[in-house]
Amino acid sequence: MRPEDVVELRVHGVSGTPPETMLGDPYPTPVAGDDVARFLRAGTPARAPSSGRTRTVEAFHWGRFTSGGASRALWLVLIPFAILNLARYALLGANRFAEAVLRLLGLVLTAMLVTATAYVSLELLVRQCAGTAACRAERLGFFAGWPFGAMLLVGAVPPGLVITVLWWFGRQTFLYEPKGTHHVWETRSGSLGDYAFWHTSPRTPVLRDAHVAAACAVVGVLYAGALRTAQPGRPSDALSWSVVGVGVLVLLWAVGCVVMSPDRREVNSRALKWTSAVYLLVAAGVATAVLWRLPVGATGSVTPLAGFEVVTNVLSALAVVLLVALFVACVRMRHAPRGVELMVADKRFRPMWHGYGAVVIAAVATTLAVGFSGGLAYRVVDWVGDPVPEAGRPGLVLGTGYLVGAGLWGVLAIAFPLLVAPVVAAMVRQVSSASWFAAGSLAAGVAVLLRWTSVPGWAFWAAAVVAGLLYVVGVGSCLRHSIGAAVRDGVLADYPGRPDRPGVRKVAFHQRLASGKYRYHWLLGAVALLGGVLVAAGGGVALARLAHPDWRSAPAPGLAEWLSSLPARELGALGSLVVSGLVVVLLLLGVRTWQSPRMRTAVGIVWDLVAFWPRLAHPICPPPYGGRATIELTSRAVRLAGHHDVSAVVLSGHSQGSVVCVAALSLLRRESERPDPADGERYIRQADAAAALRRVGLVTYGSQLQWAYSRLFPHYLGHAELTRLHHDLGDRWWNLHRLTDPLGGPVQVWPKTDDEPVAAGAKLWGVRCGNDVRLRDPEFLDPDPDMVASPLRGHSDYYDDPVFDEVVARVADAVANPRATVVVTGPALAGEPLGR
C-alpha cells in the first residue's frame, strides 16, 4: 500500500500542540484551511516498525481558536458565565423547565456583574466618596467643583463599558454562515450528529440581546431608584416609580425572551435591545437632571442612594431560588425514562454526582459570580475608606449583600484549603493519610474558631500545634505508603526482573497519582457543596432583608452588630482579598497571553475545556470552537476520501482532539443517513458522506471520553452513544492509554479478549484488551546500550511510542479490508473501576 493511500489526520488536544511537533517535521506543508483552522502535511511518510507499512500524516491544528489576543484577560474574568453554560450539557436529557431555569440563572449572573459595577461607580465612588469633602479631596480630587449630576453621569461610564463588552463579546464567533438549507435542530436538545447543532443557534442572538437589554434595564432602574434618595426638595415618588415601572416592563420583556428562548425568526430581539438602551439613556438623563444640585460637600457620611440594596438582595435571593429549582428539575429528570436509562448503566459509565452534574456546575458558577461581585465592592471600599454596615457610622456604607458575600468567601477561603489534603489523599486511595489529614483539618478549624473567642490564647496555640502534628503524621503516612502493593505488583508484571530496580517505585507512584482521575469530581463536588451552602446562606440573608420592614435604612436586628464584629470584618477582608487576588491573577494571565506563547498555551487549555459547546445557557462566554472544528475536520475527511480517492482516512485524536474526532464521525454518520433535500443544497451530499464513512477509521489516545465526558455529558457522549459509534466502526476504532496518564484512560466497553501483546519490537509493546491498548510507560526500564532511554511520558508524546504506529496501521488495514466484528455489550474494561 502506497503512503498516499492512507492518510492519518492528527487532531491535537487542549495544549494546542504545534503542527511541527505533531508531525515531527520542522517545515510542514499547508494543504487546507485558513489562519485559525489549518491542515498541514508532513514531508516524509510515517512507518510502522514491525510491518513496514507507510502512510501520509496530516495535522489539524485548531489551537488558534483559543489562543492569542489581549481579550483573553476579560474572558477569564467572565469565566462564571462559561462554567454555567457547561451546566446545560450536563443535564440528563431534554427538559424545558431545567433549560429555562439555567437561562434565567445566567441572566441573574449577568445582572449581578452589571449591578456590582454600577454600585461601585455610582454608589461607592460618586455618591459616598465624591459626595464627602474629605474622601473627595483624598481620592477623587479631579471631581472638585463638579455638581453631583455631572459626577452621576460620569459614573455611568463603567457599567456602560461592561454592557458594551458583553454585547461585543457575545457577537464573536468562529463559524461561517451555515451551508445548505438544513438549519433546524433535529431534536430539541441537539446531538453531536446534528449539523444545525454545531452552528450558532438562532436562539443565541436572542439570548445575547436579552442579556444586554436586562443589563440596561437594571442600570436604568438603579438610576430611577436614586431619585428617591433623601434630599432637600426631593421630587415626587410618582416620577421615580414611573421610571422604575417602565424599567420593570423592559426587564420582563427580556425575561420572557430568555424563558421562551425563541428563534430570531419568532421575536424581534433587536427592538428589545434598542428599547432598553433608550430606556437607560432616559433614566440616566432624568436622574442626572433632577439630582444635578444635590449637595456634595458633606463633612461626614452621606445617605446611600436608594435602590441598590433592594436590587442586590433580589438578585441574591433569585440565585438561590433558581439553584433550588434546578435541583428539583434534576430530580424529576433522574426519574424520567431518559434519566433511568442513563443511571442504570454500569457504574463505570454512570453520570457524575449521581445525575446532579448540572446543579454542581451551576453552583460553582454562582459561587464565583457572587464572590467576584462582593470582592469587587469590598476592595473598592477598602481602598477609599472603612466598610460599615449602616449609615451614621464613620466610613463608607457597604451593602449588606456585599458584606455578607465577602464574608462568606472568607469562610470558603479557610474551609477549602482544609478540605484539599484529605480529599486529595482519598482520591489516590491513601485512606490512612486521608484520615490523619481530616483530623488535622478539624483541629485547624477549631483553632480558627478559638481565635475569635474569649478563651485563653494557649487554647488556640494548642489546637494549632495539634493540627500541625496531625498533618505531619499524614505526610509521613503518604511518604511511607506512596505506592500500594497492587500497583507495585502490576508494575513488576509489566517489567519482569528484580523488584528493587531503579524506576519501579517511580512508575508505581505515577500510576497511583494518575488513578486519581477517576475521582477528580470529588474535589469539584466539595467546592460546589461549600459554595452552594454559602450562596444559600447569603440568599437567606437577602430574603430576610427583603422581608424586614426597615431594610431601606438599616440591616435586620442583630445583623449590623455581627457585621461590625471582628470575625465578620476579618472574614470579609480575607474573602475580598482572595477574590481580588483571583481576579488580578486572571487579568494578568490574560494580558500575558498576548505576550507569551507558553502562557497563551496554558490559558488556551482553560478555553478548550469550557468553549467546546454552543452557547445556549449563557450567550456571553468564549466563542465556541467545537462547531467549527467538527465541521472542518468532517469536510477534510470527505475531501480526502472522495476527491483525493484515499483508501483509508484515519482520524487520530489526542485528549480533547478525541472528542472532536468522535463529533466529526457522529456528524458524518448522520449526514450519510439524511436524504438530500429537494433543492440540492446541502453541507455534504448523502452519497459522499456514505462513501467517506466507509473509508474512515479512528484512533484515540490520552482520551477523557470514558471517565470524564461520558459521565459529565451523558446525554451527548454517554455510554449508549459511544457504544453505537463502536458498533458502526468495529475494528476501525482503537484506543491507546497509559496507566501513568493523569488525564487519559480506557474509552469503551470493548469486546473482551485475553490480554494480547501488540508488539513493535523485542522490548516495545502494549497490552491489548479488545480494541483498547495499554501502553507501557516507560517503554522499558532496563538500560540497553543500543536503544534510546525511554522517558516517562504520561499524557504526552503518544506519537513517539512505536506501538502507536502499529495501531494506526492496523486501523488502516481494517478500513481497507472490512470484516464483521462481534460486539459484546457486557462490561469488560482494562483498568480500575471508577470511584463514586
Side-chain angles (χ1 to χ4, degrees):
M1 186 177 290
R2 301 173 301 166
E4 56 268 24
D5 290 336
V6 177
V7 175
E8 178 196 351
L9 266 176
R10 292 181 178 175
V11 185
H12 62 76
V14 295
S15 62
T17 308
E20 296 81 6
T21 303
M22 296 170 66
L23 300 174
D25 185 343
Y27 304 105
T29 303
V31 292
D34 54 23
D35 58 335
V36 293
R38 303 177 293 165
F39 292 89
L40 302 99
R41 178 172 293 185
T44 57
R47 178 178 177 273
S50 61
S51 62
R53 287 168 289 196
T54 58
R55 67 187 184 279
T56 299
V57 182
E58 287 188 7
F60 175 39
H61 187 251
W62 52 267
R64 294 189 178 184
F65 286 137
T66 53
S67 62
S71 63
R72 294 297 178 271
L74 294 177
W75 277 129
L76 283 167
V77 176
L78 299 178
I79 196 171
F81 300 162
I83 294 175
L84 182 72
N85 192 61
L86 282 183
R88 190 263 179 199
Y89 299 96
L91 294 171
L92 295 184
N95 184 290
R96 292 181 184 274
F97 178 72
E99 292 177 1
V101 168
L102 280 171
R103 291 193 298 268
L104 272 178
L105 183 57
L107 192 70
V108 169
L109 298 190
T110 299
M112 279 185 177
L113 171 65
V114 176
T115 301
T117 307
Y119 183 78
V120 168
S121 63
L122 295 175
E123 170 60 35
L124 297 179
L125 295 180
V126 170
R127 172 58 174 168
Q128 296 197 47
C129 185
T132 57
C135 185
R136 183 175 65 248
E138 183 180 356
R139 299 292 185 184
L140 302 174
F142 58 89
F143 275 145
W146 285 43
F148 181 77
M151 292 189 292
L152 198 64
L153 201 57
V154 172
V157 173
L161 287 176
V162 169
I163 294 172
T164 303
V165 167
L166 296 180
W167 169 77
W168 177 253
F169 278 14
R171 289 175 54 88
Q172 295 184 20
T173 179
F174 291 120
L175 287 170
Y176 302 121
E177 288 299 316
K179 300 176 182 178
T181 57
H182 184 74
H183 302 158
V184 180
W185 286 16
E186 295 181 335
T187 61
R188 209 180 60 78
S189 59
S191 66
L192 301 186
D194 188 349
Y195 174 68
F197 172 77
W198 287 118
H199 268 282
T200 300
S201 169
R203 306 172 188 175
T204 304
V206 176
L207 288 178
R208 182 189 65 234
D209 291 346
H211 277 246
V212 171
C216 291
V218 167
V219 177
V221 167
L222 292 174
Y223 267 105
L227 294 173
R228 305 189 69 250
T229 303
Q231 57 171 311
R234 194 182 79 180
S236 170
D237 286 348
L239 175 62
S240 174
W241 284 118
S242 298
V243 181
V244 168
V246 175
V248 170
L249 291 177
V250 174
L251 191 58
L252 290 176
W253 186 2
V255 169
C257 289
V258 168
V259 172
M260 300 304 296
S261 186
D263 291 350
R264 172 74 79 180
R265 297 181 295 270
E266 300 173 8
V267 64
N268 189 358
S269 62
R270 292 189 180 92
L272 167 63
K273 179 178 62 179
W274 291 114
T275 299
S276 65
V278 171
Y279 167 74
L280 173 57
L281 293 176
V282 170
V286 171
T288 299
V290 173
L291 301 176
W292 187 266
R293 295 299 177 186
L294 191 68
V296 293
T299 56
S301 61
V302 296
T303 304
L305 294 173
F308 282 97
E309 185 77 15
V310 66
V311 171
T312 301
N313 289 330
V314 166
L315 293 176
S316 298
L318 280 176
V320 175
V321 170
L322 291 172
L323 284 176
V324 173
L326 181 61
F327 177 80
V328 173
C330 288
V331 171
R332 294 178 57 189
M333 294 178 70
R334 285 187 83 248
H335 294 89
R338 177 60 171 166
V340 172
E341 176 188 351
L342 293 172
M343 294 305 299
V344 298
D346 183 85
K347 66 180 182 180
R348 298 177 177 90
F349 301 98
R350 286 177 192 162
M352 287 183 180
W353 301 295
H354 302 280
Y356 297 103
V359 180
V360 172
I361 298 173
V364 172
T366 306
T367 302
L368 288 173
V370 170
F372 284 4
S373 300
L376 173 64
Y378 201 102
R379 277 296 97 196
V380 171
V381 171
D382 197 48
W383 172 58
V384 298
D386 297 322
V388 295
E390 59 183 343
R393 301 187 182 186
L396 273 69
V397 180
L398 184 59
T400 306
Y402 295 116
L403 279 171
V404 172
L408 293 177
W409 255 80
V411 174
L412 183 63
I414 294 174
F416 180 69
L418 295 180
L419 282 177
V420 167
V423 171
V424 170
M427 286 168 53
V428 295
R429 297 294 174 88
Q430 291 272 21
V431 179
S432 60
S433 303
S435 301
W436 288 111
F437 286 141
S441 297
L442 182 60
V446 171
V448 172
L449 293 177
L450 289 176
R451 185 179 181 276
W452 291 320
T453 63
S454 58
V455 299
W458 63 264
F460 164 77
W461 288 110
V465 169
V466 170
L469 291 175
L470 290 172
Y471 264 86
V472 169
V473 174
V475 171
S477 177
C478 281
L479 296 176
R480 183 179 180 183
H481 305 289
S482 58
I483 61 175
V487 177
R488 184 184 181 87
D489 292 343
V491 173
L492 292 176
D494 276 350
Y495 306 97
R498 291 179 19 246
D500 58 345
R501 284 172 299 167
V504 170
R505 187 176 183 85
K506 178 181 179 181
V507 173
F509 176 71
H510 280 82
Q511 287 187 8
R512 186 160 195 174
L513 287 182
S515 69
K517 62 177 169 281
Y518 297 111
R519 291 167 289 276
Y520 285 164
H521 60 289
W522 290 6
L523 198 58
L524 187 61
V527 175
L529 179 62
L530 280 174
V533 170
L534 297 178
V535 168
V541 173
L543 286 172
R545 293 278 288 137
L546 290 173
H548 191 260
D550 297 326
W551 62 265
R552 292 181 183 85
S553 58
L559 184 60
E561 288 71 19
W562 185 86
L563 291 174
S564 301
S565 66
L566 177 63
R569 293 201 307 270
E570 291 190 348
L571 285 174
L574 175 62
S576 67
L577 187 62
V578 170
V579 173
S580 302
L582 179 60
V583 171
V584 169
V585 168
L586 292 176
L587 287 172
L588 290 177
L589 282 176
V591 172
R592 285 287 293 164
T593 61
W594 198 19
Q595 304 168 345
S596 169
R598 179 172 297 182
M599 188 64 66
R600 195 156 51 237
T601 297
V603 174
I605 291 175
V606 178
W607 293 143
D608 294 347
L609 297 176
V610 302
F612 179 76
W613 300 97
R615 295 178 283 196
L616 293 177
H618 202 295
I620 305 165
C621 48
Y625 68 88
R628 176 75 181 277
T630 299
I631 292 171
E632 292 282 357
L633 184 61
T634 308
S635 301
R636 183 60 181 169
V638 172
R639 183 78 181 174
L640 289 171
H643 296 271
H644 295 279
D645 199 27
V646 174
S647 300
V649 179
V650 180
L651 302 184
S652 171
H654 174 237
S655 191
Q656 181 76 6
S658 66
V659 182
V660 177
C661 289
V662 167
L665 280 169
S666 300
L667 178 58
L668 187 61
R669 181 182 60 189
R670 185 66 189 95
E671 290 296 311
S672 69
E673 299 169 351
R674 183 183 299 115
D676 293 332
D679 59 10
E681 292 190 20
R682 168 169 191 168
Y683 159 56
I684 297 176
R685 299 187 62 83
Q686 183 182 20
D688 294 338
L693 190 60
R694 290 191 294 268
R695 298 188 182 188
V696 171
L698 174 63
V699 176
T700 54
Y701 38 98
S703 175
Q704 303 88 30
L705 279 169
Q706 181 222 82
W707 71 265
Y709 279 91
S710 177
R711 306 177 67 209
L712 190 57
F713 310 114
H715 183 69
Y716 297 91
L717 284 163
H719 176 224
E721 299 302 320
L722 295 182
T723 300
R724 189 177 299 112
L725 181 60
H726 172 228
H727 183 274
D728 292 344
L729 295 178
D731 283 340
R732 292 184 289 155
W733 182 9
W734 284 46
N735 177 70
L736 298 95
H737 65 97
R738 301 183 179 117
L739 293 181
T740 55
D741 189 342
L743 296 176
V747 165
Q748 184 52 283
V749 180
W750 299 110
K752 182 169 178 56
T753 65
D754 294 332
D755 287 350
E756 170 193 337
V758 179
K763 291 191 174 185
L764 309 176
W765 51 271
V767 177
R768 176 185 178 187
C769 180
N771 288 5
D772 252 312
V773 178
R774 178 177 60 82
L775 302 177
R776 289 196 308 181
D777 186 32
E779 294 153 15
F780 56 89
L781 284 180
D782 302 323
D784 192 321
D786 296 322
M787 299 185 73
V788 178
S790 178
L792 195 69
R793 294 191 171 103
H795 189 59
S796 305
D797 301 327
Y798 276 87
Y799 312 120
D800 296 336
D801 195 303
V803 178
F804 174 85
D805 291 315
E806 182 64 29
V807 168
V808 175
R810 292 196 183 193
V811 171
D813 284 348
V815 173
N817 305 293
R819 57 183 181 273
T821 302
V822 178
V823 178
V824 180
T825 57
L829 186 64
E832 72 166 282
L834 301 185
R836 295 298 297 167

